[in-house]
């Protein structure tokens, strides 16, 4: 009998994932045992961790499955929370959801599950896993290789956040919702009488929930004012590099000087939309401009990894590869891939907006499978 542990967050997605696995065990006689686990990772004043834990327990009780709480608060602080603040402090834009999936959900949680004798870990993520033979990916071995694939529901697809979960990890993972839409999931939850079928989706930082990011950054990092630059000229002041993200519209953490803006050609009587288009970390400067100035047709990646020999296979076969630089962002056709001193330069068929250092860029093949990616520099 196979043993499956479901990461239950208290939301409708993971609840329906657990329910589907129970149905499969009963109706299809697949002979597996299901256990629910709530991962306690962040429980600070103002977050809804206690409510989520209660909701997860209610669903597990209704489904008749065992339920445990796995306390990973210390590990979460040391990996995800530390990374979150360190990246902002260095002038980059972090992606804590990706690190959380790598280090916590499909790192420590998966390790714990395998040590406890479970065969698979299941979650409520919207993504799919496909099995390929190693020879298809130009690997030495013909052993199966497991690749991540985008979900059927393009509006809920979470493959971008999961791209760093490697094939050897995916071998032990199930995504029961990958073939479903969100509408179908809520309908399934209602049909089953789950108490949280209409619970609002969790938003914000992975396992932290909705945060006032500016307030948290101010509490942790304080302020360090500097110049705001446009067209090479100082046009204002900022309160700290960490309050601004490339692609973000100029907001309250930036104060602009009318006369200085006029000097660089801005008509302040018809104030156009201005955006953060870059940062000069060494000089502690935020660079602003209009939207067109923030568009680029190439992206540089460090610490890139490929699941199979995709760069070479792509060149030889001429198949389409596409790049996505943010969750649910457009997939832009890649025109060339080049490696240069441990960095990859990816050129695109169309310009892309808001490329922020520290974020991930994820490469997909023409079937929506994740074949590589890296951190934007």
């Amino acid at each position: 009998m196979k043993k499956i542990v479901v990461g239950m967050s208290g939301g409708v997605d993971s609840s329906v994932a657990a329910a589907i696995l129970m149905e499969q065990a009963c109706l299809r006689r697949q002979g597996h045992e299901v256990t629910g686990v709530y991962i306690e990772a962040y429980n600070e004043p103002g977050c809804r961790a206690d409510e989520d834990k209660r909701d997860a327990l209610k669903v597990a009780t209704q489904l008749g499955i065992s339920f445990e709480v796995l306390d990973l608060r210390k590990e979460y602080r040391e990996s995800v929370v530390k990374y979150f603040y360190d990246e902002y402090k260095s002038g980059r834009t972090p992606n804590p959801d990706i690190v959380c999936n790598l280090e916590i959900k499909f790192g420590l949680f998966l390790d714990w599950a395998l040590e406890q004798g479970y065969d698979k870990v299941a979650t409520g993520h919207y993504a799919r896993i496909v099995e390929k033979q190693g020879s298809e990916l130009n690997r030495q071995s013909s052993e199966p290789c497991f690749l991540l694939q985008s979900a059927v529901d393009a509006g809920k697809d979470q493959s971008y956040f999961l791209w760093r979960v490697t094939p050897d990890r995916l071998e032990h993972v199930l995504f029961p919702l990958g073939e479903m839409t969100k509408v179908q999931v809520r309908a399934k939850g209602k049909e089953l009488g789950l108490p949280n079928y209409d619970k609002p989706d969790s938003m914000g930082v992975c396992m932290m929930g909705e945060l006032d990011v500016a307030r948290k950054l101010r509490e942790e990092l304080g302020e360090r004012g500097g110049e705001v630059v446009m067209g090479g000229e100082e046009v204002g002041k900022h309160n700290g590099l960490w309050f601004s993200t490339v692609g973000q519209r100029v907001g309250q953490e930036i104060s602009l000087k009318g006369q200085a803006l006029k000097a660089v050609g801005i008509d302040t009587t018809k104030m156009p939309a201005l955006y953060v288009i870059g940062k000069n970390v060494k000089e502690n400067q935020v660079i602003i401009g209009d939207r067109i100035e923030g568009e680029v047709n190439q992206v540089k990646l460090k610490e890139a990894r490929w699941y199979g020999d995709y760069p070479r296979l792509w060149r030889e076969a001429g198949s389409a590869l596409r790049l996505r630089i943010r969750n649910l962002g457009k997939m832009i056709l890649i025109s060339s891939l080049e490696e240069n001193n441990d960095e990859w330069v990816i050129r695109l068929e169309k310009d892309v907006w808001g490329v922020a250092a520290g974020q991930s860029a994820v490469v997909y093949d023409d079937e929506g499978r994740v074949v590589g990616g890296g951190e934007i520099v």
Side-chain angles (χ1 to χ4, degrees):
M1 176 180 288
K2 285 188 176 182
K3 296 175 64 179
I4 301 173
V5 60
V6 185
M8 299 183 69
S9 67
V12 64
D13 294 331
S14 58
S15 299
V16 170
I20 287 172
L21 291 170
M22 286 298 294
E23 280 189 346
Q24 291 173 352
C26 296
L27 300 179
R28 301 180 188 177
R29 299 179 181 177
Q30 292 190 2
H32 53 241
E33 174 188 325
V34 180
T35 298
V37 167
Y38 178 83
I39 303 172
E40 186 152 21
Y42 188 84
N43 197 347
E44 301 293 332
C47 75
R48 67 184 200 191
D50 290 336
E51 174 193 339
D52 290 340
K53 194 189 312 181
R54 287 193 297 269
D55 288 345
L57 176 58
K58 285 179 186 177
V59 172
T61 301
Q62 181 172 327
L63 295 176
I65 63 176
S66 301
F67 181 79
E68 295 185 46
V69 176
L70 182 61
D71 188 349
L72 295 178
R73 286 175 292 178
K74 178 177 180 291
E75 293 84 353
Y76 185 84
R77 285 195 302 271
E78 291 174 350
S79 56
V80 182
V81 177
K82 183 178 185 301
Y83 155 83
F84 180 77
Y85 290 122
D86 285 351
E87 286 293 281
Y88 271 118
K89 188 175 182 178
S90 67
R92 294 186 291 270
T93 302
N95 202 314
D97 295 78
I98 290 174
V99 174
C100 179
N101 284 325
L102 175 69
E103 300 288 346
I104 303 297
K105 294 178 182 177
F106 304 100
L108 294 172
F109 176 44
L110 178 55
D111 289 341
W112 172 86
L114 296 176
E115 288 168 4
Q116 298 298 310
Y118 291 100
D119 299 289
K120 298 279 187 177
V121 161
T123 68
H125 285 95
Y126 287 83
R128 292 177 287 178
I129 298 171
V130 292
E131 185 177 332
K132 300 281 286 184
Q133 294 302 310
S135 56
E136 294 180 74
L137 303 177
N138 200 40
R139 289 172 173 247
Q140 301 267 335
S141 169
S142 61
E143 290 295 314
C145 179
F146 297 85
L147 293 179
L148 189 66
Q149 187 175 26
S150 55
V152 165
D153 190 339
K156 295 298 294 182
D157 174 46
Q158 293 172 297
S159 59
Y160 174 86
F161 288 137
L162 293 160
W163 82 269
R164 290 186 67 184
V165 183
T166 54
D168 61 307
R169 305 252 99 189
L170 292 174
E171 182 178 358
H172 305 286
V173 174
L174 296 172
F175 294 134
L177 308 187
E179 301 287 343
M180 299 178 70
T181 66
K182 183 71 178 196
V183 171
Q184 290 172 328
V185 168
R186 287 207 183 276
K188 182 71 172 178
K190 184 177 183 180
E191 173 193 325
L192 295 171
L194 298 182
N196 59 353
Y197 80 90
D198 59 350
K199 183 176 180 179
D201 289 344
S202 176
M203 305 297 287
V205 178
C206 177
M207 303 183 87
M208 287 188 190
E210 296 183 48
L211 296 178
D212 183 338
V213 174
R215 180 176 65 82
K216 298 295 286 186
L217 290 173
R218 187 168 275 106
E219 290 173 355
E220 183 71 20
L221 304 178
E223 294 186 357
R224 182 172 175 246
E227 297 178 348
V228 175
V229 174
M230 182 175 183
E233 300 294 328
E234 181 186 347
V235 295
K237 298 290 184 183
H238 67 81
N239 295 327
L241 289 180
W242 37 87
F243 296 116
S244 297
T245 297
V246 172
Q248 179 184 62
R249 190 163 177 173
V250 170
Q252 63 183 8
E253 299 293 344
I254 287 176
S255 58
L256 300 176
K257 302 173 183 176
Q259 291 301 318
L261 287 172
K262 289 178 183 178
V264 294
I266 297 295
D267 181 356
T268 55
T269 64
K270 300 176 183 178
M271 192 68 181
L274 297 175
Y275 299 88
V276 177
I277 61 171
K279 297 181 185 181
N280 184 331
V281 177
K282 185 177 179 181
E283 300 297 331
N284 191 30
Q285 294 175 333
V286 171
I287 303 166
I288 67 171
D290 61 27
R291 189 177 177 88
I292 293 176
E293 291 178 274
E295 294 180 346
V296 297
N297 64 1
Q298 72 174 35
V299 177
K300 289 184 180 180
L301 306 182
K302 70 174 184 178
E303 298 178 2
R305 64 193 70 189
W306 301 96
Y307 303 128
D309 190 10
Y310 262 89
R312 189 185 65 79
L313 291 173
W314 172 73
R315 291 190 186 100
E316 290 180 356
S319 60
L321 289 183
R322 291 175 170 82
L323 191 74
R324 172 180 271 173
I325 65 161
R326 60 177 61 87
N327 183 49
L328 299 181
K330 290 182 180 179
M331 293 192 191
I332 310 296
L333 197 64
I334 293 172
S335 59
S336 69
L337 287 166
E338 294 178 11
E339 188 175 14
N340 183 20
N341 296 326
D342 298 324
E343 288 184 356
W344 282 85
V345 178
I346 300 180
R347 291 183 175 82
L348 306 169
E349 294 284 348
K350 294 182 180 179
D351 289 348
V352 64
W353 157 256
V355 178
Q359 290 283 288
S360 283
V362 182
V363 180
Y364 293 77
D365 70 7
D366 52 10
E367 294 184 38
R369 293 176 298 216
V370 173
V371 299
E375 182 181 314
I376 297 170
V377 294

